[in-house]
């Protein structure tokens, strides 16, 4: 009897959405991801097992704000649909479909969905120089979520 091979594929349609349990509720309501390959992030199951990569999809709702954050793993994003004001370090630009975006390890980055549709992306983390511990480092939020806009006719004292 041959040993059972690990899964060779995973479908986003069959994978549950997740987010970080440490994120504030307001952030958990606008950003979510599915891990399709790699290790275990925040206790979420994965599809295709690989010890040196994490790969998945991430959605950010219209008007959603994913505050500046950083993590030890390098990261690539590919924008499938939607638009966002994207910041990497001191650079801010409009991210649009077909764009690839690189975040070096521990570099602050932020996404703000400025469009009318959900921002759909594919993301990929890898173990730099084979150091897989980078894939298990915490995502550190570096700023608070912005306050929601005040209702019409109301002036905030903040």
């Amino acid at each position: 009897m041959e040993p059972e091979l690990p899964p060779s594929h995973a479908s986003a349609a069959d994978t549950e959405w997740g987010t970080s349990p440490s994120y504030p509720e307001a952030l958990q309501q606008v950003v979510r991801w599915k891990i399709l390959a790699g290790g275990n992030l925040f206790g979420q199951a994965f599809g295709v097992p690989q010890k040196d990569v994490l790969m998945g999809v991430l959605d950010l709702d219209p008007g959603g704000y994913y505050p500046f954050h950083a993590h030890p793993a390098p990261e690539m994003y590919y924008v499938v649909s939607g638009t966002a004001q994207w910041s990497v370090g001191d650079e801010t630009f409009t991210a649009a479909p077909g764009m690839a975006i690189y975040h070096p390890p521990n570099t602050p980055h932020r996404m703000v969905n400025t469009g009318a549709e959900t921002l759909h992306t594919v993301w990929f983390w890898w173990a730099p120089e084979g150091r897989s511990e980078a894939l298990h480092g915490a995502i550190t939020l570096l700023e608070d979520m912005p306050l929601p806009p005040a209702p019409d006719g109301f002036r905030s004292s903040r």
Side-chain angles (χ1 to χ4, degrees), residues 128-146:
E129 297 160 4
R131 296 189 320 271
S132 59
E133 66 275 5
L135 300 175
H136 305 290
I139 297 174
T140 304
L141 294 180
L142 303 173
E143 66 177 338
D144 293 329
M145 290 291 289

Side-chain angles (χ1 to χ4, degrees), residues 50-108:
Q50 290 291 315
K51 68 177 187 147
D52 291 336
V53 301
L54 283 170
M55 180 267 176
V57 294
L58 178 140
D59 280 3
L60 184 62
D61 289 341
Y65 188 94
Y66 195 164
F68 268 113
H69 59 285
H71 38 76
E75 180 176 49
M76 289 290 298
Y77 270 90
Y78 177 77
V79 179
V80 176
S81 63
T83 58
Q85 284 302 115
W86 206 293
S87 298
V88 180
D90 294 334
E91 181 186 11
T92 298
F93 52 91
T94 299
M99 185 176 283
I101 301 154
Y102 172 60
H103 303 149
N106 299 307
T107 299

Side-chain angles (χ1 to χ4, degrees), residues 17-79:
W17 289 106
T19 188
S20 172
S22 67
Y23 282 178
E25 182 66 28
L27 180 52
Q28 290 186 36
Q29 291 177 7
V30 298
V31 69
R32 64 206 150 276
W33 53 74
K34 295 181 179 194
I35 299 173
L36 301 176
N40 190 332
L41 187 64
F42 307 122
Q44 293 172 301
F46 52 84
V48 180
Q50 290 291 315
K51 68 177 187 147
D52 291 336
V53 301
L54 283 170
M55 180 267 176
V57 294
L58 178 140
D59 280 3
L60 184 62
D61 289 341
Y65 188 94
Y66 195 164
F68 268 113
H69 59 285
H71 38 76
E75 180 176 49
M76 289 290 298
Y77 270 90
Y78 177 77
V79 179

Side-chain angles (χ1 to χ4, degrees), residues 91-123:
E91 181 186 11
T92 298
F93 52 91
T94 299
M99 185 176 283
I101 301 154
Y102 172 60
H103 303 149
N106 299 307
T107 299
H109 50 284
R110 168 178 62 201
M111 292 102 69
V112 181
N113 184 337
T114 55
E117 65 179 289
T118 299
L119 176 72
H120 297 290
T121 66
V122 175
W123 58 270

